[in-house]
């Protein structure tokens, strides 16, 4: 039987030389993972003194910082469950604590005098970590027990809460390790919110296999990469698109490609990892040609990492083959369904009535809502969202993602989202790149996209958003996917106005 990574990392102090670094603009802390383990144990003891133990739930509402991961490992050591809340999507208050049944909430948000008594500054964890440790009763997690509540990105309505099983975490980490062989000398850089469980996977991986891990924030990542010199960078496609534009600018100035890449990413990159949203094929090719292989994968909160391109099996345009313990089935409607040997869960913990039944099916199967196909060699291709199919008056079904990708691939816009407000045809709302809007380039891109599209897929006009889609303005999820409904709501007047925007000729 495969060893439980979760049970191993809480039971045994690391006996390797791996280290953890938490860094940002103007600060950097590095310590051996053995010392980190000791500090987490001290935090666990402090939690026990405060009455927190097995079965209790610890909320964490904070930006990435050392205390975040200390709390996470400490909770595992006492069989308490964590609930990670992304700043900006949740607010400290009695309603949050009561809704999610939190026994304590640690936060980096300022606490007012009338803040709930169960809300505490996360900074207090630093002091706890310095205290002497007492003996902790050994604990062991069962494969179907849940260590954490994670939340959807909340593209529609309130975020859905999902408890993640130990078996799903263990099996995902073992599967990824079998493909990528992370080892001493590797340094995995993560910068997405730690409220996303997969970001904490790399801490568990480091504790178990002995490689290094560096944690920073999206705001700091470009500043810290050259100094950190990671071997692996985990990022969403939007991050690699931004990095590509920077590299292209330097190359245009005549800088050598290898020198440019080293100045941005450091000089030790072994590979780059992306997922969470569709990657631009031109971006993938760009990095491959630059000698920085960028491997795309696929998964949902509800399935965890499901398929992945990797050094031993990589096919352009696909999101890879299924990981060990995962099976892909395409149903009668062309929707991707995922069966897991160790499901993340079989229902949501917090969701609207009917949500669980729409997503989870008997036998550990998740109906993803994504349209896809599997080729003869088992590689999965994602074609779009089933609910993003536009049905025209002539009953023709348009899968919008390929058209949107075609527009984005022109380089004239950062994002493209299609709507069909009337029989007149498709309307695109596009996110401009930062800086002055080049309407001529957008018009040229529109003509190019239409020339390459079937008649029913052609875009009749383009609405240019007032500002780029961002997480801060509420038009991108935390994983940088466009939030269609919010974009439609914000630009409804122009979408519906046949005179608005740039018209096709």
């Amino acid at each position: 039987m495969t060893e439980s990574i979760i049970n191993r990392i809480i039971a045994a102090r690391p006996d390797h030389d791996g280290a953890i670094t938490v860094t940002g603009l103007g600060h950097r802390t590095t310590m051996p993972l053995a010392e980190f383990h000791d500090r987490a144990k001290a935090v666990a003891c402090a939690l026990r003194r405060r009455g927190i133990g097995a079965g209790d739930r610890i909320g964490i509402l904070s930006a990435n910082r050392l205390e975040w991961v200390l709390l996470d490992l400490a909770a595992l050591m006492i069989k308490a469950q964590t609930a990670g809340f992304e700043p900006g999507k949740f607010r400290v208050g009695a309603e949050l604590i009561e809704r999610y049944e939190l026994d304590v909430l640690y936060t980096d948000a300022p606490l007012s005098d009338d803040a709930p008594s169960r809300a505490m500054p996360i900074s207090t964890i630093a002091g706890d970590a310095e205290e002497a440790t007492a003996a902790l009763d050994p604990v062991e997690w069962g494969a179907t027990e849940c260590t954490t509540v994670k939340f959807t990105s909340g593209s529609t309505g309130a975020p859905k809460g999902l408890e993640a099983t130990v078996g799903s975490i263990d099996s995902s980490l073992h599967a990824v390790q079998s493909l990528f062989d992370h080892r001493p000398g590797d340094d995995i850089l993560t910068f997405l919110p730690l409220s996303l469980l997969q970001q904490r996977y790399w801490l568990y991986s480091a504790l178990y296999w002995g490689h290094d891990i560096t944690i920073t924030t999206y705001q700091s990542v470009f500043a810290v990469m050259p100094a950190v010199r990671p071997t692996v960078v985990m990022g969403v496609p939007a991050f690699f698109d931004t990095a590509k534009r920077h590299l292209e600018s330097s190359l245009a100035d005549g800088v050598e490609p290898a020198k440019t890449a080293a100045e941005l990413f450091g000089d030790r990159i072994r590979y780059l990892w992306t997922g969470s949203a569709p990657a631009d094929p031109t971006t993938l090719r760009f990095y491959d040609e630059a000698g920085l292989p960028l491997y795309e994968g696929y998964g949902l909160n509800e399935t965890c990492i499901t398929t992945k391109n990797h050094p031993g099996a990589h096919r352009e345009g696909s999101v890879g083959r299924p990981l060990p313990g995962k099976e892909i089935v395409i149903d009668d409607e062309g929707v991707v369904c995922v069966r897991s040997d160790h499901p993340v869960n079989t229902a949501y913990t917090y969701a609207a009535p009917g949500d669980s039944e729409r997503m989870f099916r008997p036998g550990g199967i998740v109906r993803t809502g994504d349209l896809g196909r599997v080729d003869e060699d088992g590689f999965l291709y994602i074609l779009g969202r089933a609910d993003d199919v536009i049905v025209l008056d002539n009953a023709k079904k348009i899968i919008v993602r390929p058209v949107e990708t075609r527009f984005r691939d022109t380089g004239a816009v950062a994002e493209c989202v299609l709507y069909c407000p009337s029989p007149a045809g498709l309307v695109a709302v596009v996110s401009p790149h930062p800086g002055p809007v080049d309407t001529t380039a957008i018009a040229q891109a529109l003509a190019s996209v239409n020339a390459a599209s079937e008649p029913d897929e052609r875009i009749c006009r383009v609405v240019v958003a007032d500002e780029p889609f961002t997480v801060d303005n509420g038009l991108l999820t935390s994983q940088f996917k466009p939030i269609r409904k919010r974009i439609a709501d914000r630009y409804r007047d122009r979408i519906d106005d046949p005179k608005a925007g740039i018209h096709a000729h």
Side-chain angles (χ1 to χ4, degrees):
M1 182 177 177
T2 304
E3 182 178 41
S4 168
I5 293 171
I6 293 298
N7 285 325
R8 169 67 181 275
I9 65 173
I10 62 176
R13 185 178 191 263
D15 59 359
H16 50 66
D17 295 328
I20 180 172
T21 296
V22 181
T23 185
L25 298 176
H27 70 87
R28 180 172 178 171
T29 300
T30 299
M31 70 179 69
L33 282 165
E35 179 184 340
F36 174 83
H37 193 276
D38 292 341
R39 293 192 182 197
K41 184 178 178 183
V43 173
C45 291
L47 291 171
R48 291 296 300 271
R49 290 194 297 272
R50 292 180 185 134
I52 303 296
D56 291 330
R57 183 176 290 166
I58 301 168
I60 308 173
L61 173 55
S62 169
N64 291 1
R65 56 193 291 163
L66 179 62
E67 292 87 350
W68 215 122
V69 281
L70 283 169
L71 265 173
D72 188 64
L73 184 59
L76 290 172
M77 290 176 170
I78 58 174
K79 284 197 81 171
Q81 190 183 72
T82 54
F85 301 101
E86 184 182 345
K89 292 189 179 297
F90 298 90
R91 293 187 177 182
V92 176
E95 181 180 354
L96 181 76
I97 290 171
E98 296 303 325
R99 172 175 171 76
Y100 297 110
E101 304 167 279
L102 307 178
D103 294 281
V104 62
L105 172 65
Y106 286 95
T107 182
D108 62 356
L111 295 176
S112 61
D113 292 339
D114 60 350
S117 59
R118 279 179 278 174
M120 299 183 64
I122 195 170
S123 57
T124 61
I125 295 301
D128 294 338
E130 300 292 339
E131 295 181 6
T133 60
L136 282 176
D137 294 333
V139 301
E140 184 170 319
W141 291 85
T144 59
E145 291 185 292
C146 298
T147 69
T148 193
V149 183
K150 56 180 180 175
F151 296 90
T152 65
S153 54
S155 59
T156 56
K160 295 183 280 288
L162 181 71
E163 293 180 85
T165 62
V166 169
S168 70
I169 298 170
D170 285 340
S171 61
S172 293
L173 283 170
H174 279 296
V176 167
Q177 182 68 7
S178 72
L179 304 182
F180 289 99
D181 188 25
H182 299 133
R183 52 191 181 270
D186 273 325
D187 187 348
I188 296 180
L189 174 66
T190 67
F191 56 84
L192 294 178
L194 289 166
S195 53
L196 302 171
L197 175 60
Q198 187 180 316
Q199 303 310 299
R200 283 126 65 194
Y201 275 15
W202 312 120
L203 171 66
Y204 308 155
S205 174
L207 287 163
Y208 191 83
W209 277 291
H211 59 77
D212 297 339
I213 178 173
T214 296
I215 298 170
T216 187
T217 63
Y218 201 106
Q219 293 76 19
S220 303
V221 62
F222 285 110
V224 306
M225 274 194 299
V228 169
R229 301 174 63 233
T231 62
V232 181
V233 177
M234 305 281 181
V236 292
F239 164 78
F240 291 110
D241 289 340
T242 300
K244 172 176 172 279
R245 289 194 293 273
H246 177 87
L247 291 171
E248 287 174 328
S249 175
S250 296
L251 291 173
D253 292 335
V255 182
E256 289 292 326
K259 184 174 186 294
T260 300
E263 287 176 349
L264 185 63
F265 287 102
D267 59 358
R268 296 201 305 144
I269 293 295
R270 181 156 74 90
Y271 76 91
L272 307 171
W273 166 302
T274 193
S276 302
D280 184 335
T282 59
T283 297
L284 295 170
R285 286 194 292 272
F286 174 87
Y287 283 100
D288 187 57
E289 292 168 359
L292 299 171
L294 175 58
Y295 296 112
E296 186 177 15
Y298 173 75
L300 309 178
N301 252 346
E302 295 82 358
T303 65
C304 195
I305 308 165
T306 299
T307 65
K308 191 70 185 175
N309 283 297
H310 59 93
H314 180 213
R315 184 157 295 176
E316 184 175 331
S318 82
V319 290
R321 287 172 169 160
L323 271 65
K326 303 288 187 183
E327 178 185 1
I328 299 294
V329 177
I330 308 297
D331 72 10
D332 293 340
E333 296 178 341
V335 174
V336 177
C337 299
V338 178
R339 190 198 67 78
S340 302
D341 288 349
H342 298 279
V344 174
N345 213 307
T346 56
Y348 294 113
T349 305
Y350 300 100
D355 282 349
S356 289
E357 291 76 11
R358 281 188 287 272
M359 179 64 71
F360 299 96
R361 304 298 165 88
I365 294 174
V366 171
R367 187 178 190 272
T368 67
D370 288 317
L371 299 172
R373 68 177 180 86
V374 177
D375 71 14
E376 64 279 3
D377 295 318
F379 288 87
L380 174 65
Y381 298 76
I382 301 298
L383 306 177
R385 290 287 298 170
D387 53 4
D388 291 336
V389 173
I390 292 175
V391 182
L392 303 179
D393 284 359
N394 62 4
K396 177 72 178 290
K397 293 182 178 179
I398 304 298
I399 300 175
V400 299
R401 176 174 162 184
V403 184
E404 293 168 345
T405 300
R406 207 173 295 143
F407 207 133
R408 194 182 64 215
D409 286 354
T410 66
V413 300
E415 282 292 352
C416 171
V417 182
L418 288 183
Y419 303 94
C420 187
S422 73
L426 302 177
V427 175
V429 179
V430 299
S431 169
H433 293 300
V437 175
D438 188 342
T439 55
T440 300
I442 294 174
Q444 291 171 344
L446 172 60
S448 172
V449 169
N450 282 343
S453 300
E454 297 294 324
D456 286 324
E457 296 175 341
R458 291 172 186 162
I459 301 166
C460 66
R461 56 190 172 87
V462 173
V463 172
V464 181
D466 297 331
E467 59 182 347
F469 304 160
T470 66
V471 176
D472 290 341
N473 65 23
L475 300 184
L476 294 180
T477 70
S478 60
Q479 295 175 315
F480 300 90
K481 301 175 187 177
I483 303 177
R484 292 177 182 274
K485 185 177 185 305
R486 291 185 191 168
I487 294 166
D489 290 344
R490 188 163 302 184
Y491 294 100
R492 175 60 60 195
D493 290 348
R494 278 180 264 177
I495 293 172
D496 292 341
D497 182 356
K499 297 180 180 179
I502 300 170
H503 288 68
H505 297 294

